[in-house]
Amino acid sequence: MAADAPVQATSLRERVTQQLKRRGSTRSAGLLRIGLAGLAMAKWGQDLTFDQIMAPAWLVVFGAVTLVASCFMLVGYKSRIATALTAICALAIAFGINVVAGWQRGFSHHEAALACSIAMLALQPNGGSYSVDRWLVVRDAQRNGRPIPPEEGPLWAWPLMGLLVSCIYFYGGVVKCHWGYVRGDRLEQVLMSKFLGSELPRVMWLKAAIVGSAVGSIVLEFALAFGLWFKRFRWPLVAAGALFHAVLYETMTVYTFSLTMVFMYLSYFHPDAVHRELERVHGPVR
Amino acid sequence: MSQPPPEPTTGRLLARGGVLVVVGVWLTVGPLIRGTLDQDHLKWLPRWEMFGGWGRDICDVRYYTVDPDGTEHPLNWVDALGRSREGHDRRRNSINSNREAFRVGVKLCKALKADDVRARVRCGSRTRWRRREWMQHNMCSTEASGGR
């Protein structure tokens, strides 16, 4: 993976040019492709099958296209096209088709997060590793006596992946920065609607836990938004974020949201470093 | 060794730069406009407010019987109405509006044969608890039993 070897750029123009020419390992994108395709199928698959949408005809076609594209994305066949098509369908679902098709589903930020993640992945060379595309390339090279090409591709758009996750956390934190959330009103409401009904126990420890959780969630979201970019804080924040999303998954009906966010943490790690680490842990064949 | 990939042309680099800027602005400024500046009609922009809609319709309700001298006695309305707190039943003990709180209050009057039952009711909203009823009305009076 020498292609991404950093050459010290001095001016802004050189730095920008270097970023636009950046190449590197495709393994991170390949792993994300598999993970996000699985989540897309889990999230929308059951709503898009023929038995769920008998009419109108265009929606049936739309459902079939989405399912076929996400299947191709999962196995990595014609990966860039399949991911782009899945992204277009996912963005349509998250940002408008609910209204157009008259589905009884409101706008879901969790769906939007998954759709935007797939859209950002569509800008990456996600078929270069762990894919049918890669298998075909290797087979073709071996048949023709050519050297097997490295698992690398252009990574100029890679920072957009992390930018998306940081924006989700940052604006998620911003919207909580008001007195009603800090003193626990909003968390009490969520807790009551999910678990307690209209009886809120008047006990000190619960109030303290709610206020602590409210303040803690704001602090954590801002820490994740900025801290994940820095190597020094990355691993502790990944652990904290994964725990945070595990708690959300266990207590709220967030479905695919938790895994979407945790998968996307991979985008903060240098793709070549991920490649080297995977190379290290892959064992030899007996 | 395989051939190194060809250098991207200037046109391709410019296109990449354009995509980076456009998508980057959409990601970073979009939620600011749609969410923070409250322009929710711009549906094509992203907006990140997780769980923003949850719990807005729940009310926190406390009932009291009130003596003629004004002394308040807290009521356990779930027990008084013979409702269950087992498992999911607890969540079903939800009161979702001030009107519903009054309906439950009227039931309490009948169940307890009380003369004066009042309530402190606050209901959820996007930002905080909002007071709906604060001990002003006797739910056992005919005026209140008509519903609010």
Side-chain angles (χ1 to χ4, degrees):
Chain A
M1 295 296 110
D4 201 45
V7 177
Q8 208 54 257
T10 49
S11 70
L12 179 66
R13 185 192 169 96
E14 282 174 8
R15 279 170 192 250
V16 171
T17 309
Q18 200 178 71
Q19 174 59 35
L20 295 177
K21 290 180 176 176
R22 183 183 172 193
R23 295 181 67 83
S25 170
T26 51
R27 284 192 180 177
S28 294
L31 288 172
L32 278 172
R33 190 198 73 245
I34 295 168
L36 294 180
L39 291 178
M41 293 172 82
K43 183 74 189 172
W44 297 301
Q46 64 180 5
D47 293 333
L48 294 173
T49 50
F50 290 139
D51 63 322
Q52 291 298 313
I53 37 173
M54 311 288 275
W58 69 266
L59 192 55
V60 177
V61 173
F62 175 83
V65 169
T66 309
L67 292 183
V68 170
S70 54
C71 285
F72 277 37
M73 181 183 163
L74 181 72
V75 298
Y77 181 62
K78 303 287 180 194
S79 305
R80 292 298 290 273
I81 297 169
T83 308
L85 208 51
T86 308
I88 290 167
C89 295
L91 288 171
I93 293 170
F95 287 93
I97 210 165
N98 281 344
V99 182
V100 177
W103 283 352
Q104 295 303 308
R105 312 155 77 228
F107 174 78
S108 159
H109 299 272
H110 306 150
E111 284 188 348
L114 179 56
C116 290
S117 299
I118 296 170
M120 295 307 114
L121 185 68
L123 298 171
Q124 321 300 334
N126 58 66
S129 299
Y130 307 122
S131 61
V132 172
D133 289 341
R134 173 68 183 170
W135 179 73
L136 291 171
V137 165
V138 170
R139 192 187 64 167
D140 191 46
Q142 286 176 332
R143 277 185 179 170
N144 295 306
R146 285 188 274 108
I148 295 170
E151 290 175 79
E152 67 161 42
L155 291 181
W156 56 272
W158 190 253
L160 292 174
M161 306 281 286
L163 187 64
L164 167 67
V165 178
S166 287
C167 285
I168 292 173
Y169 283 130
F170 177 74
Y171 285 106
V174 166
V175 85
K176 293 182 179 73
C177 286
H178 58 83
W179 182 234
Y181 187 86
V182 172
R183 75 176 173 204
D185 286 14
R186 285 293 296 132
L187 284 189
E188 282 175 352
Q189 290 159 19
V190 172
L191 193 68
M192 289 169 72
S193 70
K194 298 295 287 181
F195 303 105
L196 299 174
S198 288
E199 284 184 300
L200 181 66
R202 260 64 182 179
V203 282
M204 181 70 98
W205 67 264
L206 181 64
K207 186 70 186 174
I210 286 172
V211 171
S213 303
V215 175
S217 63
I218 294 174
V219 171
L220 182 62
E221 282 191 289
F222 283 126
L224 288 164
F226 296 105
L228 283 166
W229 292 100
F230 299 97
K231 197 174 180 181
R232 186 178 170 190
F233 307 118
R234 196 169 294 145
W235 273 113
L237 283 172
V238 164
L243 182 66
F244 174 61
H245 285 294
V247 170
L248 289 184
Y249 184 81
E250 187 60 30
T251 54
M252 311 280 180
T253 42
V254 295
Y255 304 116
T256 54
F257 177 64
S258 288
L259 274 180
T260 303
M261 298 304 280
V262 173
F263 282 172
M264 288 293 281
Y265 288 167
L266 193 60
S267 61
Y268 288 98
F269 292 88
H270 197 293
D272 290 353
V274 174
H275 185 109
R276 282 191 292 272
E277 200 57 25
L278 288 169
E279 202 64 31
R280 198 170 68 81
V281 298
H282 283 168
V285 181
R286 190 181 287 271
Chain B
M1 289 292 288
S2 60
Q3 292 290 318
E7 280 282 302
T9 61
T10 308
R12 183 169 280 248
L13 288 181
L14 283 174
R16 287 178 179 179
V19 171
L20 263 184
V21 170
V22 169
V23 177
V25 168
W26 183 73
L27 286 176
T28 51
V29 183
L32 176 75
I33 295 170
R34 189 174 166 194
T36 315
L37 302 179
D38 213 13
Q39 301 297 311
D40 202 38
H41 61 282
L42 301 171
K43 301 288 183 196
W44 50 278
L45 291 175
R47 175 170 174 239
W48 309 117
E49 186 187 358
M50 305 299 164
F51 319 114
W54 293 16
R56 289 186 193 182
D57 59 347
I58 193 84
C59 294
D60 176 28
V61 187
R62 283 169 290 165
Y63 291 99
Y64 301 84
T65 51
V66 182
D67 291 344
D69 63 357
T71 312
E72 298 171 7
H73 302 281
L75 272 179
N76 189 327
W77 64 275
V78 174
D79 288 343
L81 295 177
R83 293 193 186 183
S84 164
R85 287 192 182 85
E86 290 298 313
H88 286 294
D89 290 343
R90 185 171 198 123
R91 199 168 51 185
R92 291 196 192 104
N93 296 328
S94 293
I95 294 173
N96 300 109
S97 66
N98 199 31
R99 179 182 289 268
E100 198 179 342
F102 268 76
R103 273 202 293 269
V104 172
V106 171
K107 282 184 190 171
L108 280 170
C109 293
K110 289 174 184 164
L112 299 171
K113 296 186 172 59
D115 296 324
D116 194 347
V117 169
R118 293 171 192 254
R120 291 193 169 93
V121 183
R122 51 181 193 163
C123 294
S125 74
R126 189 176 167 182
T127 52
R128 61 184 172 87
W129 288 116
R130 291 184 190 280
R131 283 188 184 184
R132 300 292 183 207
E133 162 67 25
W134 219 249
M135 304 293 281
Q136 290 104 328
H137 298 95
N138 177 7
M139 296 175 179
C140 302
S141 70
T142 46
E143 178 199 339
S145 59
R148 306 193 70 79

